[in-house]
Amino acid sequence: MISLAHSTRISSLPTSSAQNFPFQESYRTHHYHGPVSLPPSKKNRRNICKCSAADHSQSKPQQNRKTRQPAAEKEGVDPVGFLAKQGITHKVFAQFLRERHKALKDLKDEIFNRYLNLMELASGFEILGMHRNVQHRVDFMDWAPGARYCALVGDFNEWSPTENSAREGHFGHDDYGYWFIILEDKLQEGEEPDKLYFQQYNYVDDYDKGDSGVTIEEIFKKANDEYWEPGEDRFIKSRYEVASKLYEQIFGPNGPQTEDELEEIPDPETRYKAWKEQHKDDPPSNLPPCDVIDNGKEYDVFNIVDDPVWREKFRTKKPPIAYWLETRKGRKAWLKKYTPGIPHLSKYRVYFNTPTGPLERVPAWATYVVPDADGKQAFAVHWEPPPEKAYKWKHKHPIKPKSLRIYECHVGISGQEPIVASFSDFTKKVLPHVKEAGYNAIQLIGVLEHKDYFTVGYRVTNFYAVSSRYGTPDDFKRLVDEAHGLGLLVFLDIVHSYAAADEMVGLSLFDGSNDCYFHTGKRGHHKFWGTRMFKYGDHDVLHFLLSNLNWWVVEYQIDGFHFHSLSSMMYTHNGFASFTGDMEEYCNQYVDRDALLYLILANEILHALHPNIVTIAEDATLYPGLCEPTSQGGLGFDYFVNLSSSEMWLSFLENVPNHEWSMSKLVNTLVGEKNNPEKMLLYAENHNQSISGGRSFAEILFGSSNTEESLLRGCSLHKMIRLITFTIGGPAYLNFMGNEFGHTKRVEFPMSSNGFSYSLANRNWDLLENDGLHNRLFAFDKDMMKLDANERILLRGLRGLPNIHHVNDSTMVISYLRGPFLLVFNFHPKNSYERYSVGVEEAGEYQVVLNTDKKMYGGQGLIGHDQYVQRTISRRTDGVRFCLEVPLPSRTAQVRIIIRY
């Protein structure tokens, strides 16, 4: 039995290349069309007359068949290429990379035996889930290999488990465990069924060609008269003639009449050679225009030779689709004749009969879900708004910037009031603030549907649905579209490292079995979080997850992904092990190779289908090669997150007296990973406080400030921490919503421990209404963002990185250069320096362009305007040729730029 999900596509594309796999750039039809066949590539169209004998000789094994040679290695591919670049000489790890590369090639070969290409592997959403078919019906498909019976139940059929079903062994179930159910539209009272069995409807436009009044008989007559040449339509008029002639050619005029009389049928190659021998003396005029030639070459390949005139005639002959489309009618004709079998906003679930008994589940590919319906069982909602109400995109994707200034947000807590905010509220109030603040991207957490609000959205239950607590799918589209209109990229915090363990709404025990999407036993559960761990080695799980990534880009125009908690998936100990830095820890028995292969495939597919996509890796273990190309043995991410920076700042603020802060530790932590520093994303604090229940930096710095001195200390450190974190690392920076203006309250989601209170699950935007401390901190953050927006400071320096040439633990001063910029920080709580010497590479005058001590930023204004411009001294300092003596008050920082040489 063939797969229902993948049997509709036929192409001459290669199906066994380990490296060269084709992608189609434009592959999605309008939403009222069904699945379509993908066209072959140009190369394959030119060679469409070449075929392999293996494709035509499946009926009988060949004893002397030559084995197919492995696909040639793609030029430039080196499975250990990045090791030399990073100076890694560990032989065991190098061998691990080679074995992983071979496993990747084998995996792709297995995939191509079942899927047309990797794009098809990542496009399951085109046929799985609920889709309107052009033939006045809705098709539903889901994967449940452990089920024996499948049906759709909902308010559209009074929750009947027998009315809309598919049974095992029938057309509705294939060998891979995919179930297929058709929901036919219902005839309006007094209407007759369509004369044409395969009548199509255009559900978007009011009218189509079939509404012109021309009858089906007239269209078919026109097709026969115009399309078919004389004699070509004889087989249409006598549909059994071809079958009877073929039968006679194979078995003769007195062939077997029953299956019992049927002898073994020779394979096509044997039949072809016998036919060739029989007709060797025939004149060319009696032979067909095509013939097969065996050149005796390797790989057992037969080339087809044909008559050039016939070939050109064959190529110019287009299929009669144009005539068929003339029968398609518009939306008004459909509404007049039918009512939807499952109306818009209908509630539904999928019903399974399993070895352990009947159960109902929310479909895995559902796109709109209500996970907790007033304490009752969750249900999916059919989302099919009429065309006049469906959201229409207005803006294109912004151009991908070379440096990222990311504003991290949670929609639910983005409102002023202590309630769950909506997509619409966020669009109206937060997006303009982000634009004003100077960021060029937003990163959304908690968007994917999750049952428990207190999990911040990290225990995902429904991977294809936006959270209904914030609004509808169209509300989220409007949010993304408006962000694009403001020039903001939109990233999603995606959680493919684990899933919620909830059975009634999530994927756990989805079909009654314990190994559908997840591992069985202990490996199928996270050691500390109680979540379920995906089975990345299963092709159908890969199909689900890779399609999920592509879905968010295609359906919601997402610009990138932040892959959450990769260490949970890359190691069977879920990352909860002490890492000493030994390379063997990255290739021992605790490494999940299947998870690594999934990440490689995810990056390859995303970047091939969507060249401007951005992928960010969050891995506490900093796995070697995170941001190296997959062709060189890496995992293919664009950026990685330095998770240590926030932990260091929190430790300094809570546990270390200010005068004991180590400048060396500070710099070493912020600079972080020596490999790929140009790919590093830094942040001072992000959403982790909302998960761990920790305090924000502003709460630590200002929470107990009752004197002017303590307020000044908090204000100074708040600005300095952000400035050095922003400028000392790679070309990417992240800030969590509200922290740019010193939001003093921590984030705490409603849960049993706080009486399910929403008092801390919001943002106090009213802090910006007064001309006080928070407005001044916000003014500083805006001007800090302008350093990159206007001056591209994050891209300055050698390879886009700073030259850190002065780190003094005794004076607590740090200085570094980024191109024409000089940045100097004095973290000492008491000592100020009138003329502090730092080195610079270029002689000239350096002017202050950003000063944390400026009064408009909440500082004291201790540096006079006459001191804003300083000229260099010809004295070697800090290993560079020239020296600059700058005024440096305590707990202040300044950014200078050379203005005259």
Side-chain angles (χ1 to χ4, degrees):
M1 186 181 293
I2 60 175
S3 168
L4 293 173
H6 316 110
S7 62
T8 59
R9 301 179 180 182
I10 302 171
S11 172
S12 60
L13 292 172
T15 59
S16 58
S17 170
Q19 293 292 338
N20 298 313
F21 41 87
F23 289 95
Q24 309 294 336
E25 291 184 1
S26 178
Y27 58 91
R28 200 152 187 258
T29 58
H30 213 289
H31 78 275
Y32 62 79
H33 288 102
V36 296
S37 298
L38 300 178
S41 64
K42 292 181 178 178
K43 178 180 178 182
N44 285 285
R45 283 200 294 268
R46 288 196 299 268
N47 299 314
I48 201 166
C49 287
K50 292 188 177 181
C51 62
S52 169
D55 295 335
H56 304 284
S57 305
Q58 301 298 325
S59 58
K60 182 179 179 179
Q62 299 296 304
Q63 299 297 325
N64 299 321
R65 182 170 302 283
K66 301 179 180 70
T67 58
R68 185 172 61 186
Q69 299 297 312
E73 191 72 85
K74 187 177 181 181
E75 186 178 353
V77 173
D78 183 356
V80 295
F82 81 90
L83 296 185
K85 173 185 173 184
Q86 297 188 3
I88 299 174
T89 58
H90 198 276
K91 293 183 178 179
V92 176
F93 185 69
Q95 182 60 27
F96 174 82
L97 291 183
R98 292 188 180 94
E99 293 174 356
R100 191 184 74 189
H101 178 70
K102 183 181 182 303
L104 178 64
K105 291 174 65 178
D106 293 341
L107 175 61
K108 288 179 179 178
D109 278 341
E110 294 172 7
I111 289 172
F112 294 145
N113 285 333
R114 181 171 164 189
Y115 298 90
L116 181 65
N117 50 31
L118 292 182
M119 189 197 72
E120 186 187 36
L121 174 67
S123 301
F125 54 84
E126 292 185 346
I127 52 178
L128 282 138
M130 198 82 76
H131 294 277
R132 175 148 291 283
N133 191 289
V134 292
Q135 294 168 13
H136 53 83
R137 70 178 201 235
V138 169
D139 296 339
F140 172 81
M141 187 180 292
D142 213 330
W143 181 59
R148 294 176 176 174
Y149 174 91
C150 177
L152 279 177
V153 297
D155 54 12
F156 65 96
N157 64 5
E158 298 182 352
W159 303 93
S160 169
T162 58
E163 185 170 336
N164 303 103
S165 62
R167 292 178 176 82
E168 186 176 11
H170 291 66
F171 180 66
H173 186 212
D174 71 0
D175 290 344
Y176 295 107
Y178 288 88
W179 295 87
F180 182 65
I181 299 173
I182 294 176
L183 301 175
E184 295 281 359
D185 291 339
K186 300 173 183 177
L187 280 170
Q188 297 272 17
E189 186 175 352
E191 291 291 333
E192 296 291 331
D194 288 305
K195 292 182 179 180
L196 185 62
Y197 180 74
F198 294 107
Q199 176 67 58
Q200 294 187 358
Y201 287 91
N202 177 345
Y203 300 102
V204 174
D205 302 317
D206 285 343
Y207 299 99
D208 212 321
K209 293 180 179 180
D211 297 306
S212 62
V214 180
T215 64
I216 296 171
E217 291 79 8
E218 291 174 326
I219 293 174
F220 284 3
K221 184 178 185 304
K222 179 182 175 183
N224 290 333
D225 293 342
E226 295 180 359
Y227 186 79
W228 301 111
E229 296 184 12
E232 285 185 339
D233 60 347
R234 55 184 280 213
F235 298 120
I236 298 175
K237 297 175 181 177
S238 179
R239 65 180 65 183
Y240 299 110
E241 183 175 348
V242 172
S244 61
K245 285 188 174 294
L246 183 60
Y247 178 87
E248 186 176 333
Q249 285 184 10
I250 296 176
F251 302 110
N254 299 314
Q257 301 299 310
T258 65
E259 189 175 347
D260 294 335
E261 298 176 9
L262 183 65
E263 299 178 354
E264 185 176 3
I265 304 175
D267 63 274
E269 183 179 345
T270 303
R271 298 202 309 269
Y272 167 74
K273 289 181 177 178
W275 179 89
K276 191 74 174 176
E277 179 65 25
Q278 180 182 353
H279 296 275
K280 63 181 179 181
D281 297 327
D282 287 12
S285 59
N286 290 351
L287 297 176
C290 297
D291 198 4
V292 182
I293 296 179
D294 180 6
N295 291 321
K297 294 182 178 180
E298 267 190 303
Y299 315 134
D300 199 19
V301 172
F302 290 78
N303 293 320
I304 294 180
V305 63
D306 56 23
D307 174 38
V309 176
W310 177 88
R311 180 175 68 242
E312 187 61 28
K313 178 181 175 183
F314 178 82
R315 287 183 174 179
T316 56
K317 191 82 166 180
K318 296 181 180 179
I321 297 177
Y323 299 101
W324 185 259
L325 293 180
E326 288 189 26
T327 67
R328 188 170 61 189
K329 298 181 180 180
R331 179 176 177 81
K332 285 197 172 183
W334 172 66
L335 290 173
K336 180 177 180 296
K337 185 178 282 289
Y338 294 99
T339 58
I342 176 169
H344 175 53
L345 297 182
S346 295
K347 303 173 184 177
Y348 70 96
R349 288 190 287 267
V350 60
Y351 174 96
F352 296 124
N353 192 0
T354 71
T356 57
L359 52 85
E360 293 183 11
R361 294 283 185 260
V362 173
W365 299 73
T367 59
Y368 192 22
V369 176
V370 179
D372 189 8
D374 299 326
K376 299 178 181 179
Q377 186 175 347
F379 54 81
V381 177
H382 180 52
W383 186 255
E384 190 187 359
E388 63 273 14
K389 294 185 179 180
Y391 188 78
K392 297 175 178 59
W393 295 94
K394 298 181 293 184
H395 304 288
K396 296 181 179 179
H397 291 268
I399 298 174
K400 183 172 72 171
K402 293 183 179 179
S403 60
L404 292 176
R405 305 182 300 277
I406 303 173
Y407 194 85
E408 189 180 38
C409 321
H410 186 284
V411 173
I413 67 170
S414 65
Q416 172 79 26
E417 301 300 324
I419 57 175
V420 178
S422 67
F423 289 134
S424 297
D425 294 335
F426 185 94
T427 303
K428 294 175 184 176
K429 299 175 183 178
V430 181
L431 286 183
H433 172 83
V434 178
K435 180 64 176 178
E436 179 191 357
Y439 292 83
N440 60 10
I442 60 172
Q443 180 170 300
L444 299 170
I445 62 177
V447 168
L448 279 66
E449 188 60 88
H450 50 287
K451 179 182 176 182
D452 299 317
Y453 187 51
F454 72 87
T455 66
V456 197
Y458 284 105
R459 295 184 184 179
V460 178
T461 51
N462 309 96
F463 286 81
Y464 285 81
V466 296
S467 181
S468 59
R469 56 173 57 86
Y470 309 136
T472 69
D474 279 6
D475 290 336
F476 184 61
K477 287 181 180 180
R478 184 176 295 105
L479 186 159
V480 175
D481 201 18
E482 292 299 323
H484 286 168
L486 294 172
L488 301 172
L489 300 181
V490 181
F491 300 155
L492 273 192
D493 201 329
I494 197 81
V495 187
H496 280 187
S497 45
Y498 51 82
D502 195 286
E503 298 174 12
M504 302 306 292
V505 63
L507 299 175
S508 186
L509 299 178
F510 180 71
D511 62 351
S513 64
N514 197 32
D515 60 349
C516 185
Y517 286 93
F518 309 108
H519 288 289
T520 57
K522 291 184 178 180
R523 190 177 176 187
H525 297 265
H526 195 285
K527 294 184 181 298
F528 296 95
W529 299 340
T531 49
R532 297 302 309 270
M533 307 306 297
F534 283 108
K535 187 167 51 175
Y536 300 101
D538 188 291
H539 294 178
D540 294 288
V541 175
L542 286 178
H543 183 47
F544 178 83
L545 293 175
L546 293 171
S547 296
N548 184 238
L549 295 174
N550 195 20
W551 158 259
W552 289 102
V553 182
V554 172
E555 184 68 17
Y556 292 106
Q557 305 292 299
I558 295 301
D559 300 288
F561 297 99
H562 179 115
F563 284 74
H564 173 75
S565 189
L566 294 185
S567 55
S568 293
M569 63 187 288
M570 293 195 301
Y571 308 96
T572 55
H573 52 60
N574 305 132
F576 285 84
S578 57
F579 277 78
T580 64
D582 192 326
M583 291 299 296
E584 190 172 343
E585 293 170 337
Y586 300 112
C587 57
N588 59 21
Q589 70 272 24
Y590 301 111
V591 176
D592 189 338
R593 189 175 67 179
D594 290 334
L596 296 176
L597 295 182
Y598 161 70
L599 293 175
I600 293 172
L601 281 177
N603 276 298
E604 285 188 352
I605 291 173
L606 282 174
H607 286 96
L609 292 179
H610 314 286
N612 292 322
I613 202 75
V614 174
T615 58
I616 303 170
E618 180 190 299
D619 172 28
T621 69
L622 292 177
Y623 194 87
L626 271 177
C627 293
E628 294 291 348
T630 58
S631 61
Q632 299 300 303
L635 299 185
F637 287 96
D638 296 305
Y639 299 92
F640 72 92
V641 181
N642 183 344
L643 296 169
S644 303
S645 58
S646 179
E647 296 174 1
M648 178 205 68
W649 287 124
L650 187 62
S651 175
F652 274 12
L653 289 173
E654 291 189 328
N655 305 319
V656 183
N658 291 172
H659 66 278
E660 294 182 8
W661 285 17
S662 169
M663 299 297 101
S664 300
K665 179 179 179 180
L666 189 156
V667 170
N668 289 336
T669 303
L670 290 179
V671 172
E673 174 70 19
K674 301 300 182 189
N675 302 314
N676 298 120
E678 72 281 2
K679 302 281 190 178
M680 181 169 60
L681 183 152
L682 267 176
Y683 61 85
E685 54 181 333
N686 73 341
H687 65 269
N688 280 337
Q689 54 173 298
S690 63
I691 299 176
S692 61
R695 296 183 295 168
S696 69
F697 291 179
E699 186 177 4
I700 298 171
L701 292 169
F702 305 127
S704 58
S705 297
N706 49 20
T707 65
E708 184 176 347
E709 181 181 354
S710 61
L711 194 64
L712 180 63
R713 167 190 172 271
C715 184
S716 300
L717 287 177
H718 192 274
K719 291 176 290 186
M720 293 180 70
I721 287 172
R722 271 157 177 73
L723 181 60
I724 193 170
T725 306
F726 178 63
T727 57
I728 202 172
Y733 171 79
L734 180 144
N735 169 73
F736 183 64
M737 176 176 59
N739 290 340
E740 71 279 5
F741 60 83
H743 195 282
T744 49
K745 289 186 179 180
R746 67 185 183 276
V747 179
E748 189 174 283
F749 281 76
M751 59 187 77
S752 57
S753 60
N754 61 17
F756 298 99
S757 170
Y758 286 81
S759 61
L760 295 176
N762 64 332
R763 298 279 88 178
N764 296 123
W765 299 105
D766 56 349
L767 294 174
L768 294 173
E769 294 177 0
N770 302 319
D771 185 23
L773 169 68
H774 300 286
N775 237 320
R776 294 173 184 179
L777 291 177
F778 184 44
F780 173 79
D781 198 81
K782 286 193 290 185
D783 287 346
M784 186 175 74
M785 292 299 111
K786 290 177 183 176
L787 284 178
D788 186 56
N790 300 334
E791 304 294 340
R792 298 289 183 264
I793 192 171
L794 297 187
L795 302 175
R796 304 284 188 163
L798 182 63
R799 291 196 308 148
L801 296 170
N803 174 16
I804 305 172
H805 63 291
H806 186 100
V807 181
N808 192 317
D809 284 317
S810 59
T811 61
M812 298 184 70
V813 173
I814 299 171
S815 178
Y816 50 90
L817 298 160
R818 292 201 79 142
F821 292 96
L822 169 69
L823 297 98
V824 189
F825 297 79
N826 178 13
F827 280 95
H828 205 288
K830 296 181 179 179
N831 294 348
S832 299
Y833 309 99
E834 290 186 8
R835 302 178 66 86
Y836 195 91
S837 298
V838 292
V840 291
E841 295 173 340
E842 299 286 345
E845 292 184 347
Y846 285 78
Q847 181 179 10
V848 173
V849 292
L850 188 65
N851 173 22
T852 63
D853 193 45
K854 208 171 182 178
K855 287 186 176 181
M856 66 176 293
Y857 303 145
Q860 296 176 287
L862 298 177
I863 301 177
H865 283 285
D866 59 329
Q867 297 174 300
Y868 266 42
V869 178
Q870 299 286 335
R871 176 166 285 280
T872 57
I873 302 172
S874 183
R875 184 176 73 210
R876 193 169 186 83
T877 305
D878 297 328
V880 290
R881 294 176 58 189
F882 302 100
C883 171
L884 192 69
E885 295 181 342
V886 298
L888 204 56
S890 65
R891 285 203 186 105
T892 66
Q894 55 190 264
V895 182
R896 293 176 178 263
I897 187 172
I898 188 168
I899 57 173
R900 293 188 187 90
Y901 292 91

